[in-house]
Amino acid sequence: MHATDHHINGIRIVRELLPVLGLSAADSLWQEFPLDLVRENAAFNMHLQLKFYRRLIQVMDDPLLGLKVSALFPPQAYGMFGYAMMAAPDIRTSLRIADRFDRLTYTLQTLHFFEKNGIGILQFTATGLNLDPALKAFFADRDLASSTLGARSIALAQSPAILKVTLEHDDNGHAGAYEAFFSCPVEFNAASNSVAFSAQQLDRPNPYRNTAAFEVCVRECERQLAELANSRDIVARVRSELFQRPGYLQDIESIARQMGVSARTLRRRLEETGTSFTGLQQDVRFQQAREQLRNRQMSIAEIADMLGYSEAGNFTTAFKRWTGGIPPRAYRGKPP
């Protein structure tokens, strides 16, 4: 499944299976976004994908839409990526496969699995796309919920207990519904989107484990990942350069020189992945701002200066735009 395949297949799944959930979208939505459902490899670029989901959120007008839609994306919906996790020998290996091959399916977030103090943590981090708060919340809910549902469907009775879920967005008055869905405590306005499992339970064998099938699926995932490397790694390299000097406003020309390409080529290659230099630059600033506000070691004026803003007021305006209206002081005042 290539990157564009995932986009169109994800939208096709929503279109065909939304009624299964007892939900239906207006016909005008499908008329606005006609899909060639015969050709599953049809081009449906990142811009159109985001536009589609933005309109879906508006049309459905359901604050829990991301949680509900997650039921449409079991592991098998992700092709070889999902089948590799199902055929893995144990739950820990399934999660490591998710970490290793996340780029095959997660274009709007990166997935990372790690263990700390006896807890296994599956963490989702937004990529360089500068998404509006409604889209970020929808994708965080959908992907985090589908990962927990996926773990249950892969491991069945052996599924590890979920200890805690954290979400970067607020609860919008639906905290109880989130806790009922995940069957565990849920922390909102957190530093990251994550789900925590007991690491002691991760060695449980998967009921659908199959050594031969697992090896075939992993080899195919490796092949697909190699195909994506040329286009997707460009985003990671630009982000890395920006993170190294967050307080210095490097322009696209200077980044391009460091990467050995022209600014025009760099701009075009970023556009092909569905992002832009400005979007990446703003995303890096936002992440740095959140980290410093959480650390509480620098004043807001110092953070603004570190991020290249001439005045703290300009930083406050930008931060409110990133968070959907929350000023830096209020964000700092929220519990970590």
Side-chain angles (χ1 to χ4, degrees), residues 13-24:
I13 288 171
V14 171
R15 178 172 182 170
E16 294 182 359
L17 299 183
L18 203 59
V20 174
L21 302 179
L23 305 173
S24 61

Side-chain angles (χ1 to χ4, degrees), residues 202-261:
L202 298 183
D203 288 320
R204 293 176 177 177
N206 284 331
Y208 299 117
R209 60 191 181 278
N210 184 305
T211 301
F214 178 67
E215 292 176 353
V216 170
C217 291
V218 169
R219 284 198 299 270
E220 176 59 17
C221 286
E222 290 173 339
R223 185 192 67 78
Q224 293 181 13
L225 192 63
E227 287 186 358
L228 287 178
N230 289 338
S231 62
R232 299 281 289 281
D233 283 354
I234 194 74
V235 174
R237 291 185 61 189
V238 172
R239 284 173 58 84
S240 177
E241 293 292 341
L242 290 170
F243 265 116
Q244 289 178 20
R245 304 179 70 186
Y248 174 66
L249 295 181
Q250 299 187 79
D251 55 26
I252 192 168
E253 285 76 15
S254 63
I255 295 288
R257 281 196 299 272
Q258 295 172 48
M259 297 176 63
V261 298

Side-chain angles (χ1 to χ4, degrees), residues 50-288:
L50 296 179
K51 186 177 180 181
F52 168 81
Y53 280 112
R54 190 175 288 110
R55 287 287 293 126
L56 179 67
I57 293 169
Q58 294 171 348
V59 169
M60 300 303 293
D61 191 26
D62 184 345
L64 301 177
L65 182 63
L67 298 183
K68 295 176 181 178
V69 168
S70 69
L72 303 179
F73 295 92
Q76 57 267 36
Y78 297 106
M80 284 296 182
F81 174 81
Y83 290 123
M85 289 191 293
M86 294 179 68
D90 51 53
I91 300 169
R92 177 177 280 103
T93 304
S94 294
L95 293 172
R96 287 175 175 169
I97 286 294
D99 180 291
R100 180 180 175 187
F101 297 115
D102 70 313
R103 287 185 296 168
L104 294 180
T105 186
Y106 294 106
T107 53
L108 301 170
Q109 303 193 80
T110 58
L111 182 154
H112 182 45
F113 170 68
F114 59 96
E115 297 180 50
K116 182 178 180 180
N117 299 327
I119 297 176
I121 300 174
L122 195 63
Q123 185 177 81
F124 289 85
T125 304
T127 57
L129 291 168
N130 194 19
L131 302 179
D132 58 74
L135 274 176
K136 277 191 174 182
F138 171 80
F139 289 125
D141 286 357
R142 185 198 66 179
D143 294 344
L144 212 62
S146 65
S147 69
T148 58
L149 292 177
R152 291 167 182 163
S153 66
I154 290 172
L156 299 181
Q158 300 298 320
S159 178
I162 301 175
L163 303 178
K164 182 179 181 181
V165 166
T166 66
L167 290 164
E168 295 180 2
H169 63 76
D170 58 36
D171 62 15
N172 287 318
H174 296 280
Y178 278 88
E179 294 191 346
F181 181 91
F182 289 107
S183 300
C184 71
V186 179
E187 177 187 350
F188 297 92
N189 298 308
S192 64
N193 299 309
S194 69
V195 55
F197 305 92
S198 170
Q200 294 180 344
Q201 301 175 346
L202 298 183
D203 288 320
R204 293 176 177 177
N206 284 331
Y208 299 117
R209 60 191 181 278
N210 184 305
T211 301
F214 178 67
E215 292 176 353
V216 170
C217 291
V218 169
R219 284 198 299 270
E220 176 59 17
C221 286
E222 290 173 339
R223 185 192 67 78
Q224 293 181 13
L225 192 63
E227 287 186 358
L228 287 178
N230 289 338
S231 62
R232 299 281 289 281
D233 283 354
I234 194 74
V235 174
R237 291 185 61 189
V238 172
R239 284 173 58 84
S240 177
E241 293 292 341
L242 290 170
F243 265 116
Q244 289 178 20
R245 304 179 70 186
Y248 174 66
L249 295 181
Q250 299 187 79
D251 55 26
I252 192 168
E253 285 76 15
S254 63
I255 295 288
R257 281 196 299 272
Q258 295 172 48
M259 297 176 63
V261 298
S262 69
R264 181 178 179 180
T265 296
L266 178 57
R267 185 176 289 107
R268 174 179 55 79
R269 292 182 64 183
L270 288 174
E271 289 175 352
E272 288 173 352
T273 67
T275 189
S276 68
F277 181 78
T278 300
L280 290 173
Q281 189 179 60
Q282 292 302 307
D283 186 66
V284 168
R285 277 177 151 181
F286 184 34
Q287 290 190 42
Q288 291 285 339

